[in-house]
Amino acid sequence: MRELRANISGIIKSSVIDGPGNRMVIFFQACNLNCMYCHNSHTIGLCNYCEICATACPTQSLAIDKEKKQIFHNDVTCTHCDTCLKVCPENSSPFYKSMSVNDLISEILEIKDFISGITVSGGEVMLQAKFLEQLFISIRNHTELKALSILIDSNGNVDQNRWETVLDWVDGFMIDIKAYSPDIHKQITGFSNEKILKSIHYLNLKGKLKELRLVFVPTYNDSDEEIKKITDLMKRLSPEVKKVLIKMRKHGIREKYNFLNEPSLDEMKAVLNRFETAGLNLLII
């Protein structure tokens, strides 16, 4: 089998908020949505080696070789001021790494005794489904790792064939729903949600949808019509699917989206009450 490589934006070796138990979380680079409230916008795009970040770096800690498509980072002089991330026109980062399946297996083995599973996230991790397939097969066939649970955190904006690639190897999926209306979804993310709605129904049918999360964005996805449609969608899902209401937080979002209003606790409770009145119990995060 030909070895594939994936662009990895970061790894958290211990997390208790990305699925059950203590988990390693692997973040993949590149996303096919452009959410206004994204607080990891540097994971959206891929580097095109334009050198804008290197020129803007106040400590001259970056150098780029365009011909070899390599980025050199001096971690000693770097102050981690994030100037490079803020000026990048591609919503990318000079810090993500190309890694192989074996590279990631080595990372997992280092902490295998301290985690209950791994969660892969993004960016949009399902854009690299073939790599995931190889990674998950390697985990399932590894005597020291095969007991780990595997979860995928996705925006759902992919075709069914990508789900089919990994379905047999994972324990479940956590999917966000930004809005039910295609027009509202496009306002929030820049794209329609046709594939996302299909993905939610498909994964639910296969018994693999573990969690559906609504990110509450005041004045965008909280109209009576929108809440009713999302409620109807959630009611059609298996009762075993956890339904979650997430507060949109402004921390880390791009400056041009500072006009967004972060919901207050009272606003969160009011929206939650509307779901409860309709017979749904959602967890607030």
Side-chain angles (χ1 to χ4, degrees):
M1 184 182 293
R2 182 174 64 89
E3 181 184 65
L4 298 178
R5 302 187 71 85
N7 294 314
I8 306 299
S9 62
I11 296 174
I12 296 177
K13 295 189 175 182
S14 177
S15 171
V16 295
I17 61 172
D18 294 281
N22 187 31
R23 312 184 69 79
M24 169 184 272
V25 187
I26 305 169
F27 295 93
F28 286 64
Q29 185 75 18
C31 188
N32 54 2
L33 295 181
N34 188 15
C35 300
M36 293 190 294
Y37 54 76
C38 181
H39 56 271
N40 289 316
S41 58
H42 59 278
T43 67
I44 294 176
L46 294 174
C47 179
N48 64 1
Y49 309 98
C50 67
E51 298 185 300
I52 290 176
C53 61
T55 302
C57 178
T59 59
Q60 297 183 322
S61 299
L62 291 170
I64 293 177
D65 187 326
K66 284 188 174 183
E67 290 187 5
K68 295 182 179 180
K69 294 185 177 181
Q70 291 181 327
I71 302 172
F72 303 96
H73 172 234
N74 188 333
D75 194 46
V76 176
T77 59
C78 177
T79 61
H80 302 282
C81 65
D82 289 347
T83 297
C84 54
L85 305 183
K86 294 174 183 176
V87 301
C88 179
E90 302 298 321
N91 290 315
S92 188
S93 162
F95 306 125
Y96 67 82
K97 298 178 181 179
S98 174
M99 300 183 73
S100 68
V101 168
N102 286 336
D103 291 335
L104 289 177
I105 292 295
S106 296
E107 293 279 347
I108 300 170
L109 282 170
E110 286 184 8
I111 60 166
K112 63 179 176 61
D113 296 327
F114 306 100
I115 58 174
S116 56
I118 68 163
T119 298
V120 292
S121 186
E124 178 41 52
V125 66
M126 288 301 297
L127 296 177
Q128 302 183 65
K130 293 302 294 183
F131 179 89
L132 291 180
E133 180 185 32
Q134 288 191 11
L135 174 63
F136 297 159
I137 290 174
S138 295
I139 292 172
R140 293 305 188 208
N141 290 333
H142 199 294
T143 55
E144 296 182 79
L145 303 179
K146 61 184 180 181
L148 294 176
S149 67
I150 300 174
L151 294 178
I152 292 180
D153 183 352
S154 170
N155 66 30
N157 190 31
V158 294
D159 292 318
Q160 182 176 315
N161 66 298
R162 291 183 184 266
W163 303 119
E164 293 170 348
T165 300
V166 299
L167 200 66
D168 292 338
W169 307 106
V170 303
D171 294 283
F173 299 84
M174 301 180 290
I175 306 291
D176 286 350
I177 181 168
K178 323 291 185 181
Y180 192 91
S181 161
D183 291 337
I184 296 174
H185 193 275
K186 193 168 185 178
Q187 290 179 47
I188 295 174
T189 71
F191 297 88
S192 177
N193 61 352
E194 180 181 359
K195 291 181 181 179
I196 297 170
L197 295 177
K198 288 181 179 179
S199 294
I200 290 170
H201 289 298
Y202 174 75
L203 295 175
N204 180 65
L205 180 65
K206 294 296 182 179
K208 292 286 189 174
L209 183 61
K210 298 301 181 184
E211 187 172 299
L212 183 66
R213 304 169 300 201
L214 169 65
V215 180
F216 170 34
V217 187
T219 74
Y220 282 88
N221 57 7
D222 58 344
S223 69
D224 289 341
E225 181 180 7
E226 191 68 10
I227 294 296
K228 182 182 185 305
K229 288 181 177 179
I230 294 172
T231 298
D232 291 343
L233 168 64
M234 289 183 171
K235 283 185 172 181
R236 292 196 296 270
L237 301 178
S238 165
E240 296 181 1
V241 176
K242 182 188 296 185
K243 289 85 174 178
V244 180
L245 180 65
I246 298 179
K247 175 181 179 177
M248 188 279 293
R249 292 171 171 84
K250 295 183 68 171
H251 176 73
I253 69 171
R254 289 162 284 182
E255 288 185 9
K256 63 181 178 180
Y257 297 120
N258 274 337
F259 62 84
L260 292 172
N261 294 313
E262 186 172 306
S264 66
L265 180 59
D266 287 342
E267 287 176 313
M268 291 292 292
K269 289 181 177 179
V271 171
L272 182 66
N273 183 62
R274 291 159 71 183
F275 282 104
E276 290 177 343
T277 300
L280 281 174
N281 292 316
L282 274 65
L283 176 69
I284 284 187
I285 295 180

